[in-house]
Amino acid sequence: MGHFLFFLLAIICVGSVLGMIISKNQAYNALLLVLAFASLGGLFGLLDAPFIATVQIIIYAGAIMVLFIFVIMMINLRLGLPPEKKKWTLYFSLGVAVVLIVELILSVKGAFSLFENSSMEKIGGPTDLGRLLFTKYLYPFEITSILIIAALVGAIVLVKKKEKE
Amino acid sequence: MIEILIVFIKIIFALIWLLTLTLYLTWVERKESAVIQDRIGANRASILGIRIIGLFQPFADAIKMIFKEDFTPSFSKKFLHDLAPFLSFFFVAITISAIPFGDFISIGGKTINLLILDINVGLLFVLAMLSLGIYGILIAGWSSNNKFTLIGGLRGAAQLISYEVALGLSLIGLIMVYPSLNLSQIVHFQGELLFGVVPKWGIFLQPLGFMIFFFAALAETKRVPFDLPEGESEIIGFFTEYGGLKWGLFMMTDFMEVIIVSCLLTTLFFGGWQVPWLATDGFHFPWGGEWLLSHWVVVLFQVAAFNIKVFFFSWLQVLIRWTYPRFRYDQLMDMGWKLLIPLSLVNIVGTGILMSI
């Protein structure tokens, strides 16, 4: 049952990401990305980490992507890219792809050694996560929150400026 | 094998419960609005001349909806247009799996929890599924390819996102008081007594949190004081281009949301299936009396208590829906961002100060 669910979710996840890359309609792209996030949440759930699974769905699928789709549906975008940008994006995306593949291989290698050392039991619980965030990882946590607040304030300032003009 | 069978039976029972309640909530809505507006209301549907105050009306409505033409406008995006009502329906219906209907029943040495999905983040699971429900509205509004439906869908998404923040923040105080995200554990905590007399229900420990949650949840149901996405008198809403059973799914989603909100209010703030002073072996009154009961009677009391509370809140929401006029859009946003969210932050800080004393 677990294996069946894993492969089902993995196929949905990879398939929707592929579809997202191939499809040229922005709204479909965003919706396929939502599907990918949702199935990723399901995969976290299979790994006995229900907290991360639900938070993944609430934040990525439920909040961030809604805003993406909101904007895409409001401003009617053209299908695909304009031809003068196409050549430039090809080279750029090839470079980015190579860097990302190298990073992926390295991180997967690192994850395997981590997997052997740590016990699987203590990943998912909200209590453990909260305790770790407020003791061991307090500084990264606070710095991240300051970064997010700065981005939020910046967004508000940008919007305000436009209104005055 | 038997475990899977038990879960299967539980799912079927929960769905039957939810759908029956949904059907009869439509009847309650019609009758209650009729009473409020001094009419008689639907009372003509009859089987063999028997028409007990219109109780067969929901079935007549359902049959009518099933036999209507399944129409998809030619200018719509077909696949998404067909998908939207199902998404809407699914994400509301699945939340019932995290709601505890009762404590447990024991048959032949087996204890069966009266709850389908017993995970330690049940509360977050419900919130996650409710937040995914936005996609039904957004996709319906956009794929219909009609300006009015698009406005409806965007209004709906904006409203739901705004009130989700208040909804989540109002529950943090509750999680601080009952240190758990597991809905069945939250209900268990509410069985304890405050000062030895009053049951430790959420409404007594978190009155402000209850009020914020109630307002935000009312907004999440998108019904009349908060029916901006629909707005019958101005834009008709995101389901303008739907007909027949697909429109019926949207309508049922609305009513199911009312029931789910009632379930959440009951579970989080009114003790869920807890009856005051009822333990697993019977009543223990704080003034010294005892009334011992057998296991099945206790289970019956618990399930009945849960149902009565849910019925009460569903009735209350229908009453609110037929009493108040619609908010203006700026009033809606002001209430969400400038009233409910600051109040819920005050609630969190206040709860923290009170708990540390």
Side-chain angles (χ1 to χ4, degrees):
Chain A
M1 194 69 185
H3 285 276
F4 173 71
L5 278 178
F6 171 78
F7 281 110
L8 185 74
L9 286 170
I11 288 169
I12 293 175
C13 188
V14 174
S16 54
V17 169
L18 276 178
M20 183 199 87
I21 295 167
I22 294 165
S23 162
K24 280 188 176 163
N25 188 328
Q26 281 92 349
Y28 283 104
N29 287 352
L31 289 173
L32 283 168
L33 194 58
V34 173
L35 189 60
F37 282 141
S39 48
L40 208 59
L43 285 174
F44 278 126
L46 279 182
L47 285 173
D48 269 340
F51 180 74
I52 300 174
T54 43
V55 166
Q56 161 91 15
I57 289 176
I58 289 178
I59 293 177
Y60 284 101
I64 292 179
M65 287 318 291
V66 169
L67 290 180
F68 270 63
I69 292 177
F70 201 89
V71 172
I72 288 170
M73 288 177 179
M74 283 259 269
I75 51 170
N76 249 325
L77 287 169
R78 272 172 299 167
L79 293 186
L81 279 171
E84 69 270 13
K85 274 189 182 170
K86 253 187 181 163
K87 210 175 174 188
W88 183 78
T89 41
L90 182 69
Y91 296 125
F92 181 70
S93 53
L94 268 177
V96 171
V98 169
V99 172
L100 282 179
I101 284 173
V102 171
E103 193 189 342
L104 186 72
I105 291 167
L106 287 179
S107 64
V108 166
K109 249 187 175 173
F112 272 123
S113 60
L114 201 75
F115 181 69
E116 282 157 10
N117 295 337
S118 65
S119 57
M120 274 291 285
E121 304 295 312
K122 287 187 178 174
I123 297 176
T127 344
D128 302 327
L129 257 171
R131 196 149 285 151
L132 274 179
L133 273 183
F134 282 105
T135 53
K136 197 175 168 191
Y137 300 108
L138 181 63
Y139 290 117
F141 177 70
E142 291 295 334
I143 290 168
T144 318
S145 65
I146 287 172
L147 209 72
I148 293 172
I149 285 181
L152 269 177
V153 172
I156 291 170
V157 168
L158 283 177
V159 171
K160 279 275 169 198
K161 230 179 183 178
K162 258 185 193 163
E163 256 177 16
K164 268 179 198 167
E165 278 169 12
Chain B
M1 195 59 216
I2 195 121
E3 301 291 322
I4 294 173
L5 193 72
I6 287 170
V7 171
F8 197 65
I9 292 170
K10 277 198 271 191
I11 291 172
I12 288 177
F13 264 105
L15 272 182
I16 289 175
W17 181 82
L18 184 62
L19 291 177
T20 317
L21 210 55
T22 312
L23 268 186
Y24 274 97
L25 199 60
T26 61
W27 177 78
V28 168
E29 168 131 331
R30 297 179 80 161
K31 274 295 190 194
E32 204 173 326
S33 66
V35 170
I36 288 172
Q37 297 166 350
D38 205 9
R39 292 182 284 118
I40 294 171
N43 68 344
R44 292 303 170 111
S46 69
I47 293 178
L48 301 175
I50 308 164
R51 43 183 227 195
I52 349 161
I53 52 172
L55 271 179
F56 298 124
Q57 188 65 39
F59 294 101
D61 288 343
I63 291 168
K64 183 195 110 185
M65 251 174 347
I66 289 168
F67 284 103
K68 271 190 169 182
E69 186 192 351
D70 180 26
F71 179 73
T72 314
S74 57
F75 47 80
S76 67
K77 303 191 170 48
K78 291 245 163 18
F79 177 70
L80 289 181
H81 189 267
D82 291 345
L83 183 71
F86 296 100
L87 279 183
S88 233
F89 186 84
F90 173 78
F91 286 125
V92 176
I94 198 170
T95 47
I96 197 71
S97 60
I99 307 281
F101 284 81
D103 194 3
F104 62 87
I105 49 175
S106 45
I107 311 173
K110 246 186 158 40
T111 48
I112 300 170
N113 290 327
L114 294 180
L115 161 72
I116 299 170
L117 186 67
D118 199 6
I119 51 173
N120 60 7
V121 288
L123 188 54
L124 287 181
F125 173 80
V126 173
L127 291 182
M129 289 305 134
L130 287 180
S131 74
L132 285 181
I134 294 177
Y135 286 111
I137 304 169
L138 254 183
I139 295 174
W142 180 71
S143 67
S144 297
N145 224 347
N146 170 331
K147 295 229 162 50
F148 289 110
T149 61
L150 182 63
I151 293 172
L154 292 180
R155 274 188 188 185
Q159 175 181 334
L160 292 189
I161 289 181
S162 310
Y163 278 85
E164 232 166 53
V165 182
L167 197 73
L169 283 176
S170 70
L171 291 178
I172 289 179
L174 192 89
I175 298 165
M176 285 159 79
V177 178
Y178 310 116
S180 173
L181 288 169
N182 187 328
L183 283 175
S184 63
Q185 269 180 31
I186 288 176
V187 175
H188 272 289
F189 279 122
Q190 298 186 49
E192 292 164 15
L193 292 179
L194 206 63
F195 314 121
V197 186
V198 190
K200 224 174 170 181
W201 288 0
I203 177 79
F204 299 119
L205 299 181
Q206 286 282 317
L208 186 60
F210 165 70
M211 268 154 29
I212 299 162
F213 180 82
F214 193 31
F215 273 114
L218 273 181
E220 291 280 313
T221 61
K222 328 184 274 299
R223 277 153 62 83
V224 165
F226 302 96
D227 72 330
L228 275 296
E230 189 181 338
E232 272 180 340
S233 53
E234 27 182 279
I235 59 167
I236 321 175
F238 56 91
F239 44 61
T240 309
E241 301 288 352
Y242 286 89
L245 204 56
K246 280 190 222 146
W247 176 81
L249 278 180
F250 277 124
M251 192 198 68
M252 278 174 78
T253 310
D254 261 19
F255 283 105
M256 263 157 54
E257 265 172 357
V258 170
I259 293 165
I260 294 295
V261 165
S262 308
C263 288
L264 281 178
L265 282 169
T266 306
T267 311
L268 297 172
F269 294 99
F270 285 84
W273 42 260
Q274 297 276 8
V275 184
W277 313 306
L278 178 71
T280 43
D281 59 342
F283 284 99
H284 297 273
F285 298 111
W287 50 87
E290 261 188 358
W291 183 25
L292 297 180
L293 297 164
S294 70
H295 173 66
W296 285 102
V297 181
V298 170
V299 169
L300 206 67
F301 260 108
Q302 289 172 343
V303 175
F306 178 78
N307 275 290
I308 288 169
K309 289 170 192 171
V310 170
F311 292 165
F312 171 75
F313 281 109
S314 304
W315 170 82
L316 187 67
Q317 285 182 65
V318 175
L319 186 71
I320 291 170
R321 187 243 178 275
W322 287 99
T323 308
Y324 290 100
R326 184 186 313 139
F327 281 107
R328 232 169 40 219
Y329 190 72
D330 57 327
Q331 289 173 333
L332 178 92
M333 285 295 154
D334 279 359
M335 192 172 133
W337 290 102
K338 294 182 187 165
L339 181 71
L340 291 186
I341 290 175
L343 266 183
S344 53
L345 292 177
V346 166
N347 184 39
I348 293 169
V349 174
T351 309
I353 291 171
L354 276 181
M355 279 175 75
S356 61
I357 288 172

